[in-house]
Amino acid sequence: MIKGTNNISEQIYVLNILQKTYIHERLRKTGINEIQARTINYVFTYPGVIQKDLAQYLGKQNATITNILKLLEKKNYIKREIPASNERQKKLYITEDGEKLVALIEKIFLDLENVILSSLYDLEIKNLKVGLKKISENIK
C-alpha cells in the first residue's frame, strides 16, 4: 500500500483518476476525450456561452480552450458566432452533429453518477454532498 493512501486528499485524487478512466473508456468510440465531451455538454446546457465562462468551468487556460473549440468546430460539433453587440466575444452553440453526441455524453455522465450513487446509502449521499461542498468552498 502506498504511503498516504488513507488521506482524504489522496483518496479524492485516486477517485478522480478512476472517474477519468471510466469516462475515457466509454468515450473511446466517439473520437473525443473527456474535456471535449465536457465542453460539448456545457455548450449544450448553456447555449450562447462565451469562451471565458467555459474556460472557468473547465479550469483551463484560454489558449487551451481555443484549441479545444477549434477542434470541435472542425468536427462540426460546435459553432462560434460573433454577436453584433460585441464583436470581441464569440458565443458558442451546439450544431446538429453535436446534439447527436450530447445524448451519448449525458448517458456516460449519468451512468457514472449511478455507479457512484449505487455505492452509498441516501444519508451517505447527503452527507457526502455537504462535505464536498464545504471542502470546495474552503479550498477556494
Side-chain angles (χ1 to χ4, degrees):
M1 190 155 129
I2 300 171
K3 184 178 179 183
T5 55
N6 281 331
N7 295 340
I8 290 175
S9 62
E10 186 68 20
Q11 290 178 7
I12 291 170
Y13 172 74
V14 169
L15 186 59
N16 183 45
I17 290 171
L18 292 171
Q19 175 179 299
K20 287 182 179 300
T21 301
Y22 180 95
I23 293 168
H24 174 76
E25 290 297 320
R26 280 144 191 87
L27 283 173
R28 183 174 287 165
K29 294 176 186 171
T30 66
I32 62 171
N33 63 33
E34 179 188 358
I35 291 295
Q36 294 164 347
R38 290 194 183 278
T39 299
I40 291 168
N41 199 48
Y42 193 82
V43 172
F44 176 77
T45 304
Y46 302 101
V49 67
I50 59 172
Q51 183 172 326
K52 178 183 172 187
D53 294 339
L54 177 63
Q56 185 176 3
Y57 165 73
L58 294 172
K60 301 287 182 188
Q61 298 290 328
N62 263 337
T64 302
I65 297 301
T66 298
N67 290 334
I68 292 167
L69 293 175
K70 282 180 182 178
L71 181 75
L72 292 176
E73 201 169 28
K74 185 177 179 180
K75 290 183 176 189
N76 197 37
Y77 294 139
I78 63 149
K79 60 184 174 184
R80 296 188 274 186
E81 293 182 2
I82 302 170
S85 61
N86 187 348
E87 294 180 10
R88 293 182 49 169
Q89 288 188 336
K90 294 178 183 172
K91 295 192 175 217
L92 306 171
Y93 298 94
I94 220 77
T95 63
E96 279 187 45
D97 289 346
E99 282 185 21
K100 293 174 188 172
L101 197 54
V102 165
L104 175 64
I105 292 168
E106 286 181 335
K107 182 173 180 356
I108 290 169
F109 291 142
L110 182 61
D111 288 349
L112 175 60
E113 182 76 5
N114 289 333
V115 167
I116 292 167
L117 295 179
S118 71
S119 307
L120 303 167
Y121 295 108
D122 289 344
L123 182 59
E124 291 173 318
I125 293 167
K126 180 182 174 188
N127 289 337
L128 182 59
K129 285 180 179 180
V130 169
L132 290 173
K133 185 175 181 178
K134 285 180 179 179
I135 291 167
S136 294
E137 289 170 358
N138 195 40
I139 290 176
K140 286 180 185 177

